Amino acid sequence: MRRDGHGRRLGTSRAGLATGERARPSHRTIGYRPGLDGVRALAVVAVMLYHDDVSWARGGFVGVDVFFVLSGFLITSLLLSELDDTGRIDRIAFWGRRARRLLPALFLLLVGVVVYAIVWAKPDELHDIRLDGIATIFYVTNWRLVAGGLSYFQTFQVPSPLQHTWSLAIEEQYYLVWPIVLFAARPLWRRRPRALAPAIAALALASAALMAILFHAHASIDRLYYGTDTRAQALLVGSAIAAFQRVPRARAARRAAWLRTVCGAGGVLLLAAVVWRWNTPRFLYRGGFLVVALAAGALVVAAAERGWIARLLSLRPLPAIGLVSYGLYLWHWPVDLVLSTPHVAWHGFPLVAARSALTGALATASYVLVERPIRRHGLAALRGLPERIRGVAIASGVAGATAIALILSTTGAPSLALPSSLPATPPNANATRILMLGDSQMFTLGFWGADEFDRSKAQFEPGALLGCGIFDPDNDDGNCTDRASSWADDITQFDPDLSVLLVGAWETQDFTLDGHRYVHDTPAHEHALERVLTHSLSTLTRRGGHVALLEVPCYGETNAADPTRIARDDPRAVAEVNTAFRAVATRDPSEITFVPWANVICPRGHFVTRIHGVVVRPDGVHYRDTAGGAIAADAIIPKITRLADTAHAERRS
């Protein structure tokens, strides 16, 4: 237990990712519980392993929900204690303490992002880093991600080093609103204190129901995953538990053996979620996130008690990791970006170990040199200010300085020199003509591999559509609905001997078709994919030309913005799409040919950082320079020109 300068014991509690929130002394205040730091440690390690793409931790993203539940539990406990003791909530003082605890480490991270922008970021990333930095300072990153506003190619570039701050934004919005809600609603429940917990639980159910309703209405996955209203369910579950535990009868009964058993089961359920990857949209967005929150709530209750679960979670080094968990969360994501393609060539355990060591060092330094001193002593220059506004003053000054540094370091960067479309050329009646169709993979291949295509004796015509594979029902914004007519117009104008199709990134995903959702790596998904492909190719085959289906290559690590979209770098998902492509080609070999080629950029079927020392696909999908485009083009051109020459000869005979 911590003591102040006069030796008095202080009740302390730690909210969410941040530790060390000082509470007003009260017999009802939760004292320091090392088991809660143990919960925090498990949660942050799960998130870090998930982002490191550790195969057995593909469900580690649920660690964020554990943080949400813990925040709701601890902050609500503090606020209710203050209400009981004083009859009011000093919101300015509360927000000041939150600012003093959360902002110093965050601003230190932003300084690190400035260094990242200067040293590692590509010119076309800087504009978005600047906007992400501003959104982070104002804690609205989650709504920036919902609103989008990024170009298509930017969504496939290296993810923003501040992308992970979406969860911090949701927590901060909760810190801002929840004290006001509790105080405003106090007249409604102070005469019936037992009504508070059910009321908060009803709000959690409403949040989960809203997520399910929006999912069935085919709302954007980003809207569901990042929305404060849809993700508030976990925060509210923690808040409901805190309110329930304040009922005298609940406090007397909470040490019962049966309760410890239930709480232990909640921990096992969370472990299963991490290991078995509970990430299918059908489960998560129709109550799955609520199940995870309830399991996390059970574990939090057990950790706050004095049973065997709390003792287990208090074993070293878990509390020590939990103590710096806020810094670990802040730093792990930008460290992952720096220690990844194209900066390093490590893989597997050495890469995870290097990332973890650097993240741990940065988090520890942040805690020892910045967070703890400021939390305990503030800034000497501002010591004369009233305590209740000191945190706000510190935050305002540092926020302004950080914003200026971000703007200066990310201004004046040129955009990625990619056109919105590639120029068409008049068809040469004497040349072998090849129409290049597909999504952004074919687009970037045609742009960066242009020199290789130009040197070929064949005439190549670009026809790729950004964001459009053979179908994209879940993400179609209207640009892909005229895909068939666009293909038909290209064939009419160019009259190709061979139409070449390169797709696959969208096709590895789960998709909804005719009201039914098909989950990747299932027979139903594969069969539905075959039907869609056959229907799409009919536009090409009925015109009389031959079709080449290019093998879908392996993909690199998925942008982890949404854990339900991890199928792209799943070898099973890629293999499933290629199986469907082969099946369609086998049924009609006179018109369709499956063309294997991906072993050139995917040795033994695995994504690698470099081929012959060249980074071919920095974002794991798209070709980004002439050297990478040349490697892929040189592998494809001989195979498709042979098919095109044969088709051209048959048409002339």
Side-chain angles (χ1 to χ4, degrees):
M1 180 72 71
R2 290 175 52 201
R3 299 176 182 269
D4 64 11
H6 302 285
R8 292 190 296 265
R9 301 170 72 185
L10 294 176
T12 60
S13 119
R14 296 184 171 96
L17 293 167
T19 58
E21 171 71 63
R22 179 178 295 178
R24 293 177 180 271
S26 169
H27 69 282
R28 295 174 182 248
T29 301
I30 296 177
Y32 173 60
R33 298 282 193 263
L36 294 179
D37 268 337
V39 171
R40 195 174 289 106
L42 295 179
V44 75
V45 168
V47 172
M48 291 172 65
L49 292 175
Y50 164 68
H51 284 153
D52 282 331
D53 201 29
V54 175
S55 60
W56 56 265
R58 288 292 183 89
F61 61 88
V62 301
V64 172
D65 296 85
V66 177
F67 285 127
F68 285 165
V69 172
L70 196 54
S71 284
F73 175 74
L74 293 172
I75 290 299
T76 301
S77 296
L78 288 169
L79 294 174
L80 291 179
S81 292
E82 185 174 357
L83 272 173
D84 288 343
D85 290 345
T86 68
R88 61 188 292 270
I89 295 176
D90 190 340
R91 295 183 296 276
I92 299 299
F94 170 79
W95 292 329
R97 292 193 304 270
R98 288 284 86 202
R100 189 172 64 182
R101 175 62 194 99
L102 298 174
L103 294 181
L106 182 66
F107 291 140
L108 184 62
L109 170 72
L110 292 174
V111 172
V113 169
V114 169
V115 175
Y116 173 88
I118 295 172
V119 177
W120 287 288
K122 291 182 178 294
D124 49 292
E125 296 176 52
L126 297 181
H127 172 73
D128 295 317
I129 290 176
R130 178 167 66 255
L131 296 181
D132 291 339
I134 304 260
T136 298
I137 291 173
F138 289 100
Y139 283 103
V140 292
T141 303
N142 63 317
W143 290 113
R144 167 163 162 74
L145 291 170
V146 170
L150 302 178
S151 73
Y152 181 79
F153 280 106
Q154 287 168 324
T155 64
F156 284 98
Q157 292 171 10
V158 176
S160 166
L162 295 170
Q163 181 172 288
H164 63 313
T165 61
W166 68 269
S167 63
L168 304 180
I170 290 177
E171 287 204 32
E172 189 66 21
Q173 291 158 27
Y174 162 79
Y175 297 151
L176 182 65
V177 173
W178 192 237
I180 300 174
V181 172
L182 277 182
F183 182 74
R186 192 180 185 223
L188 303 177
W189 55 264
R190 63 181 174 181
R191 293 182 180 178
R192 299 183 60 190
R194 288 182 174 84
L196 179 59
I200 299 175
L203 291 176
L205 287 173
S207 175
L210 176 62
M211 176 178 279
I213 291 169
L214 292 176
F215 176 76
H216 282 286
H218 303 293
S220 163
I221 292 294
D222 291 339
R223 171 65 181 87
L224 301 177
Y225 191 72
Y226 296 123
T228 305
D229 48 359
T230 52
R231 297 308 298 273
Q233 54 189 289
L235 288 157
L236 291 167
V237 164
S239 298
I241 292 172
F244 176 77
Q245 289 209 322
R246 302 189 70 76
V247 178
R249 185 177 300 172
R251 291 201 304 273
R254 64 188 179 184
R255 292 181 175 84
W258 67 267
L259 183 60
R260 288 195 293 271
T261 301
V262 170
C263 293
V268 172
L269 195 62
L270 278 175
L271 179 63
V274 170
V275 174
W276 289 338
R277 197 176 68 176
W278 290 358
N279 63 343
T280 60
R282 197 172 188 84
F283 169 72
L284 284 177
Y285 298 118
R286 301 199 322 174
F289 278 118
L290 184 60
V291 172
V292 170
L294 292 172
L299 188 61
V300 167
V301 169
E305 293 299 317
R306 290 183 171 86
W308 64 270
I309 298 175
R311 290 193 297 271
L312 186 64
L313 291 169
S314 300
L315 295 176
R316 295 182 179 179
L318 291 179
I321 296 174
L323 197 65
V324 296
S325 59
Y326 181 49
L328 290 173
Y329 185 83
L330 287 177
W331 286 102
H332 87 279
W333 181 246
V335 166
D336 283 1
L337 297 186
V338 172
L339 298 184
S340 64
T341 57
H343 309 123
V344 299
W346 304 331
H347 298 280
F349 177 77
L351 178 59
V352 174
R355 287 173 167 177
S356 300
L358 181 55
T359 300
L362 290 170
T364 302
S366 172
Y367 180 77
V368 172
L369 301 177
V370 177
E371 299 171 54
R372 187 170 59 185
I374 290 179
R375 188 173 71 249
R376 289 181 175 178
H377 308 296
L379 295 181
L382 299 177
R383 190 162 292 173
L385 293 176
E387 181 180 359
R388 65 198 310 266
I389 65 171
R390 192 179 301 162
V392 176
I394 295 171
S396 300
V398 181
T402 306
I404 292 172
L406 270 170
I407 292 171
L408 292 178
S409 65
T410 57
T411 299
S415 300
L416 180 64
L418 276 175
S420 59
S421 61
L422 299 179
T425 55
N428 183 342
N430 297 320
T432 299
R433 297 182 298 278
I434 302 175
L435 178 61
M436 308 293 283
L437 302 173
D439 55 19
S440 55
Q441 298 171 90
M442 180 65 87
F443 186 93
T444 54
L445 175 64
F447 183 82
W448 295 114
D451 291 343
E452 278 62 35
F453 288 114
D454 289 343
R455 282 194 286 268
S456 173
K457 295 180 181 180
Q459 182 181 9
F460 291 88
E461 174 71 4
L465 299 173
L466 296 182
C468 302
I470 58 171
F471 69 102
D472 185 19
D474 286 344
N475 303 285
D476 198 343
D477 59 3
N479 295 329
C480 302
T481 54
D482 295 329
R483 180 189 299 101
S485 60
S486 176
W487 286 2
D489 290 343
D490 288 339
I491 291 173
T492 299
Q493 297 172 17
F494 188 64
D495 189 25
D497 298 301
L498 180 72
S499 296
V500 181
L501 184 64
L502 175 59
V503 292
W506 293 118
E507 287 66 29
T508 59
Q509 305 295 308
D510 300 346
F511 59 85
T512 300
L513 189 63
D514 297 329
H516 182 75
R517 193 165 190 85
Y518 294 91
V519 180
H520 78 281
D521 199 26
T522 63
H525 183 279
E526 183 179 323
H527 295 154
L529 191 58
E530 290 181 24
R531 293 200 308 271
V532 173
L533 180 61
T534 300
H535 175 74
S536 297
L537 293 184
S538 64
T539 301
L540 305 177
T541 56
R542 67 169 170 256
R543 299 282 176 150
H546 200 79
V547 176
L549 285 177
L550 291 182
E551 179 186 10
V552 179
C554 63
Y555 295 118
E557 294 180 8
T558 304
N559 182 326
D562 174 19
T564 66
R565 292 178 181 162
I566 66 171
R568 192 186 75 199
D569 61 339
D570 186 342
R572 296 173 301 176
V574 172
E576 178 189 39
V577 176
N578 281 322
T579 298
F581 283 14
R582 287 190 184 93
V584 171
T586 301
R587 285 198 294 268
D588 196 359
S590 64
E591 294 186 329
I592 303 172
T593 300
F594 180 80
V595 180
W597 71 279
N599 63 303
V600 173
I601 61 172
C602 300
R604 297 180 296 280
H606 298 292
F607 183 85
V608 295
T609 305
R610 292 175 173 84
I611 303 295
H612 307 310
V614 174
V615 178
V616 179
R617 297 177 294 167
D619 65 356
V621 180
H622 300 99
Y623 309 92
R624 283 286 298 277
D625 57 40
T626 54
I631 289 175
D634 286 342
I636 293 171
I637 288 173
K639 296 177 180 290
I640 61 177
T641 52
R642 282 196 295 269
L643 287 173
D645 288 341
T646 300
H648 181 72
E650 290 176 353
R651 296 179 69 187
R652 291 176 62 105
S653 62

